[in-house]
């Protein structure tokens, strides 16, 4: 297992391991929600992570929902 640094999601403070990484555009994220930009207000896999609130869509904004996250999977190395 390799440490891939801190999650690329703004506000996320969690380190990403190669086992759990979700890779998008060459950047490592700690979970699918972070990698997809928190569609539909989806929460980070780490409870209480500040990125869940920082990246939550504003009230009334359109939401892509879970279907956006279908294209993302956790990469295995």
């Amino acid at each position: 297992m390799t440490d891939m640094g801190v999650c690329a999601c703004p506000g996320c403070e969690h380190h990403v391991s190669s086992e759990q990484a979700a890779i998008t555009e060459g950047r490592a994220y700690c979970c699918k929600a972070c990698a997809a930009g928190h569609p539909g207000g989806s929460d980070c896999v780490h409870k209480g992570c500040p990125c869940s609130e920082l990246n939550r869509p504003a009230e009334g904004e359109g939401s892509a929902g879970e279907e956006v996250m279908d294209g993302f999977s956790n990469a295995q190395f």
Side-chain angles (χ1 to χ4, degrees):
M1 174 170 55
T2 303
D3 181 6
M4 300 182 77
V6 177
C7 180
C9 181
C12 190
E13 302 168 350
H14 295 278
H15 280 266
V16 181
S17 71
S18 56
E19 287 182 339
Q20 72 184 76
I23 309 293
T24 302
E25 296 180 6
R27 300 174 82 189
Y29 296 87
C30 68
C31 65
K32 295 189 309 183
C34 286
H38 298 273
S42 58
D43 289 333
C44 179
V45 72
H46 299 99
K47 286 191 173 223
C49 185
C51 75
S52 294
E53 288 302 318
L54 289 172
N55 296 296
R56 193 167 307 282
E59 194 67 33
E61 276 189 26
S63 169
E66 290 292 319
E67 62 274 3
V68 171
M69 291 177 59
D70 286 341
F72 294 94
S73 65
N74 285 343
Q76 298 293 315
F77 295 90

